[in-house]
Amino acid sequence: MAATAYSTALLGGAGARLPAVAAAAPPSVLILRRGFSPLRLQDAPRLSLVRVKASSDDTSASAASGDELVDDLKAKWEAVENKSTVLTYAGGAIVGLWFSSVVVGAVNSLPLLPKIMELVGLGYTGWFVYRYLLFKESRKQLADDVESLKKSIAGAEEE
Protein backbone atom coordinates (compact mmCIF):
# COMPACT_ATOMS: atom_id res chain seq x y z
CA MET A 1 0.00 0.00 0.00
CA ALA A 2 2.80 2.41 0.88
CA ALA A 3 4.65 1.79 -2.40
CA THR A 4 1.42 2.31 -4.34
CA ALA A 5 0.71 5.57 -2.52
CA TYR A 6 4.32 6.57 -3.05
CA SER A 7 4.15 6.06 -6.80
CA THR A 8 0.69 7.59 -7.21
CA ALA A 9 1.74 10.66 -5.25
CA LEU A 10 4.77 11.12 -7.48
CA LEU A 11 2.68 10.64 -10.61
CA GLY A 12 -0.02 13.00 -9.32
CA GLY A 13 -2.89 10.52 -9.16
CA ALA A 14 -5.36 9.18 -6.60
CA GLY A 15 -5.52 12.28 -4.42
CA ALA A 16 -1.72 12.44 -3.92
CA ARG A 17 -1.46 10.89 -0.45
CA LEU A 18 1.64 12.69 0.79
CA PRO A 19 1.76 11.30 4.37
CA ALA A 20 2.21 7.81 2.92
CA VAL A 21 5.09 9.14 0.84
CA ALA A 22 6.87 10.46 3.92
CA ALA A 23 6.45 7.12 5.66
CA ALA A 24 7.57 5.03 2.67
CA ALA A 25 10.48 7.05 1.31
CA PRO A 26 13.97 6.65 2.73
CA PRO A 27 15.07 9.57 4.95
CA SER A 28 17.94 10.53 2.63
CA VAL A 29 15.45 11.40 -0.12
CA LEU A 30 13.46 13.76 2.10
CA ILE A 31 16.42 15.83 3.34
CA LEU A 32 17.05 18.90 1.19
CA ARG A 33 20.57 19.90 0.30
CA ARG A 34 22.12 23.07 1.69
CA GLY A 35 21.66 25.99 -0.69
CA PHE A 36 18.66 24.38 -2.42
CA SER A 37 16.84 26.79 -4.70
CA PRO A 38 13.28 25.89 -5.76
CA LEU A 39 13.83 27.79 -9.01
CA ARG A 40 16.59 25.44 -10.18
CA LEU A 41 15.05 22.09 -11.09
CA GLN A 42 18.37 20.32 -11.64
CA ASP A 43 19.10 20.78 -7.91
CA ALA A 44 15.81 19.12 -6.90
CA PRO A 45 16.17 15.77 -5.15
CA ARG A 46 15.46 12.86 -7.43
CA LEU A 47 12.90 10.32 -6.25
CA SER A 48 12.75 6.80 -7.61
CA LEU A 49 9.51 5.92 -9.36
CA VAL A 50 10.18 2.25 -9.95
CA ARG A 51 11.37 -0.41 -7.56
CA VAL A 52 12.28 -3.75 -9.11
CA LYS A 53 13.11 -7.05 -7.51
CA ALA A 54 14.72 -9.55 -9.82
CA SER A 55 14.27 -13.24 -9.24
CA SER A 56 14.63 -16.37 -11.25
CA ASP A 57 13.10 -19.79 -10.80
CA ASP A 58 15.29 -21.62 -13.27
CA THR A 59 18.98 -20.90 -12.68
CA SER A 60 20.14 -24.29 -13.94
CA ALA A 61 19.46 -23.38 -17.59
CA SER A 62 21.65 -20.27 -17.48
CA ALA A 63 24.37 -22.07 -15.52
CA ALA A 64 24.33 -24.93 -18.01
CA SER A 65 24.60 -22.57 -20.98
CA GLY A 66 27.46 -20.76 -19.24
CA ASP A 67 29.27 -24.07 -18.64
CA GLU A 68 28.68 -25.07 -22.26
CA LEU A 69 30.12 -21.76 -23.42
CA VAL A 70 33.25 -22.18 -21.29
CA ASP A 71 33.69 -25.78 -22.44
CA ASP A 72 33.26 -24.74 -26.08
CA LEU A 73 35.83 -21.95 -25.71
CA LYS A 74 38.29 -24.33 -24.04
CA ALA A 75 37.85 -26.86 -26.86
CA LYS A 76 38.40 -24.19 -29.52
CA TRP A 77 41.48 -22.85 -27.71
CA GLU A 78 42.95 -26.36 -27.48
CA ALA A 79 42.32 -26.82 -31.22
CA VAL A 80 44.42 -23.76 -32.07
CA GLU A 81 47.85 -24.84 -33.29
CA ASN A 82 49.73 -21.55 -33.13
CA LYS A 83 48.62 -19.89 -29.90
CA SER A 84 51.33 -17.23 -29.96
CA THR A 85 50.05 -15.90 -33.29
CA VAL A 86 46.51 -15.66 -31.93
CA LEU A 87 47.74 -13.81 -28.84
CA THR A 88 49.82 -11.49 -31.02
CA TYR A 89 46.81 -10.66 -33.20
CA ALA A 90 44.60 -10.15 -30.13
CA GLY A 91 47.20 -7.85 -28.55
CA GLY A 92 47.56 -5.95 -31.81
CA ALA A 93 43.80 -5.52 -32.01
CA ILE A 94 43.68 -4.14 -28.46
CA VAL A 95 46.57 -1.74 -29.17
CA GLY A 96 44.90 -0.67 -32.43
CA LEU A 97 41.63 -0.01 -30.63
CA TRP A 98 43.42 2.01 -27.96
CA PHE A 99 45.36 3.99 -30.59
CA SER A 100 42.22 4.77 -32.58
CA SER A 101 40.55 5.95 -29.38
CA VAL A 102 43.50 8.28 -28.73
CA VAL A 103 43.35 9.64 -32.28
CA VAL A 104 39.60 10.24 -32.10
CA GLY A 105 40.03 11.98 -28.74
CA ALA A 106 42.74 14.22 -30.19
CA VAL A 107 40.62 15.09 -33.23
CA ASN A 108 37.63 15.75 -30.99
CA SER A 109 39.64 18.22 -28.89
CA LEU A 110 40.31 20.45 -31.91
CA PRO A 111 37.75 23.27 -32.04
CA LEU A 112 36.32 23.09 -35.56
CA LEU A 113 37.35 19.66 -36.81
CA PRO A 114 34.58 17.56 -35.18
CA LYS A 115 31.87 19.61 -36.93
CA ILE A 116 33.70 19.29 -40.24
CA MET A 117 33.93 15.53 -39.73
CA GLU A 118 30.20 15.40 -39.02
CA LEU A 119 29.54 17.23 -42.29
CA VAL A 120 31.84 14.83 -44.16
CA GLY A 121 29.98 11.88 -42.64
CA LEU A 122 26.62 13.39 -43.52
CA GLY A 123 27.78 14.04 -47.08
CA TYR A 124 29.10 10.50 -47.46
CA THR A 125 25.85 9.08 -46.08
CA GLY A 126 23.86 11.12 -48.58
CA TRP A 127 26.08 9.96 -51.44
CA PHE A 128 25.80 6.32 -50.34
CA VAL A 129 22.00 6.52 -50.20
CA TYR A 130 21.87 8.15 -53.64
CA ARG A 131 24.39 5.72 -55.15
CA TYR A 132 23.26 2.40 -53.67
CA LEU A 133 19.84 2.65 -52.02
CA LEU A 134 17.67 5.03 -54.00
CA PHE A 135 17.17 3.02 -57.17
CA LYS A 136 16.22 -0.63 -57.60
CA GLU A 137 19.10 -1.50 -59.95
CA SER A 138 21.70 -0.06 -57.62
CA ARG A 139 20.18 -1.91 -54.63
CA LYS A 140 20.49 -5.16 -56.57
CA GLN A 141 24.10 -4.34 -57.46
CA LEU A 142 24.87 -3.62 -53.80
CA ALA A 143 23.27 -6.92 -52.71
CA ASP A 144 25.32 -8.80 -55.32
CA ASP A 145 28.52 -7.07 -54.17
CA VAL A 146 27.79 -7.94 -50.53
CA GLU A 147 27.08 -11.58 -51.42
CA SER A 148 30.32 -11.88 -53.42
CA LEU A 149 32.24 -10.32 -50.53
CA LYS A 150 30.64 -12.78 -48.08
CA LYS A 151 31.60 -15.69 -50.34
CA SER A 152 35.19 -14.50 -50.69
CA ILE A 153 35.55 -14.04 -46.90
CA ALA A 154 33.87 -17.32 -45.98
CA GLY A 155 35.77 -19.20 -48.67
CA ALA A 156 32.67 -20.84 -50.10
CA GLU A 157 33.28 -23.87 -52.28
CA GLU A 158 32.90 -23.28 -55.96
CA GLU A 159 30.56 -25.69 -57.66
Side-chain angles (χ1 to χ4, degrees):
M1 174 64 185
T4 305
Y6 178 66
S7 60
T8 54
L10 286 177
L11 295 175
R17 295 174 241 165
L18 292 177
V21 172
S28 62
V29 174
L30 300 176
I31 297 173
L32 297 177
R33 294 187 338 202
R34 180 179 294 190
F36 174 75
S37 170
L39 299 177
R40 296 182 58 189
L41 292 178
Q42 63 268 22
D43 289 339
R46 306 235 184 246
L47 301 175
S48 175
L49 294 176
V50 178
R51 293 185 185 181
V52 178
K53 180 180 178 184
S55 65
S56 176
D57 295 334
D58 187 20
T59 57
S60 62
S62 63
S65 65
D67 291 339
E68 290 173 7
L69 178 65
V70 169
D71 292 340
D72 187 38
L73 287 175
K74 283 182 183 178
K76 287 186 180 186
W77 180 249
E78 294 301 324
V80 172
E81 293 177 12
N82 199 351
K83 291 179 174 66
S84 62
T85 304
V86 172
L87 292 176
T88 303
Y89 282 138
I94 291 171
V95 168
L97 186 64
W98 169 77
F99 184 71
S100 64
S101 173
V102 168
V103 169
V104 168
V107 166
N108 198 26
S109 68
L110 298 174
L112 192 57
L113 204 53
K115 294 297 179 186
I116 292 172
M117 296 302 260
E118 286 181 21
L119 287 175
V120 168
L122 186 63
Y124 181 76
T125 302
W127 172 82
F128 185 85
V129 166
Y130 176 75
R131 171 67 178 91
Y132 290 110
L133 302 178
L134 201 57
F135 303 109
K136 185 176 183 177
E137 311 84 47
S138 59
R139 283 193 303 267
K140 179 154 177 42
Q141 178 189 1
L142 177 63
D144 293 341
D145 290 345
V146 168
E147 286 301 318
S148 67
L149 182 63
K150 279 199 263 184
K151 286 180 183 177
S152 68
I153 290 174
E157 300 114 18
E158 296 181 20
E159 296 177 15

